[in-house]
Amino acid sequence: AVLCVSADDDVRAVVQALAVPAARGKCVVDSSTVSADTARQAARTLAEVGARFVDAPVTGGTEGARLARLNFMVGGAPADVEAVRPLFDAMGARAVHMGATGAGQAAKAVNQVVAAGINQAVAQGLAFADALGLPLEKIVEVVGSGAAGSWFMQNRGPFMAAGHYPPGFRVALHLKDLRICQAMARNLGGALPVVDQTAQDYARLVADGHGDEDTAALYRLQAGRFAGG
């Protein structure tokens, strides 16, 4: 079974429902984005009935899902990962085994931290460009093709330039992920300043009714700050 749901409680509920005697010998693959602790708990729950578990969160956005070009960050026993690799090959472009159970979710947390920083940089840069009176479409083109280019600039910069944010990766979901990252950082005795700022901004967007928009909607706030908003 492969599952991909929104939150930790959802994963725990589905895994509990799957933890039945008939699951013995089967492997559950979870491609949700949840905490590493939830992944390890799910593995223990399934192990009680003789079933196996692999955590395999994905990145690649709606484009990656549509084109079967997702990237999987995988945690679990090596034999289990290899047993389900044909599933990854069918759905994605890459599946990297990061380590034991929970390592996939830990790697996804790193991904979400970096994604938050890139979103902030692109949104702030384009808001700055707009305040300078520059054409945003041309900025996306020229900056996106140089050293400051990124997948996000190329694929989400046009959303910002158009002021239109169709769901790709929703603000509310990235906020949920960043709160997981914050908790992990606190447990390590550290801090993630870019995550703290982005989570605060996302919470404001959610409160303003933009939680179902793509994370590129962060531009709403950055542009407003140049306008005194």
Side-chain angles (χ1 to χ4, degrees):
V2 179
L3 60 136
C4 187
V5 293
S6 295
D8 292 61
D9 285 346
D10 300 325
V11 170
R12 284 189 284 265
V14 173
V15 166
Q16 191 63 53
L18 292 172
V20 295
R24 178 172 296 276
K26 304 291 179 60
C27 187
V28 174
V29 178
D30 178 29
S31 290
S32 314
T33 297
V34 295
S35 72
D37 285 344
T38 293
R40 289 188 282 266
Q41 180 184 346
R44 289 193 297 269
T45 298
L46 289 165
E48 290 175 358
V49 296
R52 299 165 293 155
F53 179 83
V54 169
D55 57 295
V58 296
T59 185
T62 53
E63 293 88 351
R66 185 172 61 251
L67 299 172
R69 299 289 296 174
L70 294 168
N71 290 309
F72 293 86
M73 291 159 274
V74 187
D80 295 340
V81 173
E82 290 309 309
V84 298
R85 191 169 289 279
L87 294 175
F88 299 140
D89 292 341
M91 295 185 287
R94 184 180 297 106
V96 180
H97 187 197
M98 304 304 301
T101 302
Q105 294 296 349
K108 181 61 183 289
V110 173
N111 183 86
Q112 300 307 70
V113 171
V114 176
I118 292 172
N119 193 4
Q120 284 284 6
V122 173
Q124 289 180 29
L126 292 186
F128 183 43
D130 187 59
L132 292 169
L134 295 168
L136 294 189
E137 295 83 358
K138 292 182 179 180
I139 287 292
V140 169
E141 179 183 357
V142 69
V143 174
S145 62
S150 66
W151 181 96
F152 195 89
M153 172 67 86
Q154 294 173 346
N155 290 275
R156 296 297 181 260
F159 288 8
M160 297 180 182
H164 178 56
Y165 311 103
F169 183 43
R170 290 186 290 153
V171 168
L173 287 179
H174 200 191
L175 174 58
K176 177 266 296 182
D177 296 350
L178 294 186
R179 286 175 171 157
I180 292 172
C181 297
Q182 287 175 312
M184 293 172 67
R186 286 194 299 270
N187 289 339
L188 292 169
L192 299 166
V194 72
V195 168
D196 295 339
Q197 181 61 59
T198 307
Q200 180 179 320
D201 289 343
Y202 284 167
R204 180 175 168 185
L205 287 170
V206 170
D208 289 343
H210 304 300
D212 287 335
E213 293 181 338
D214 188 85
T215 56
L218 181 61
Y219 180 77
R220 291 181 182 277
L221 297 185
Q222 300 300 351
R225 286 164 181 157
F226 275 100

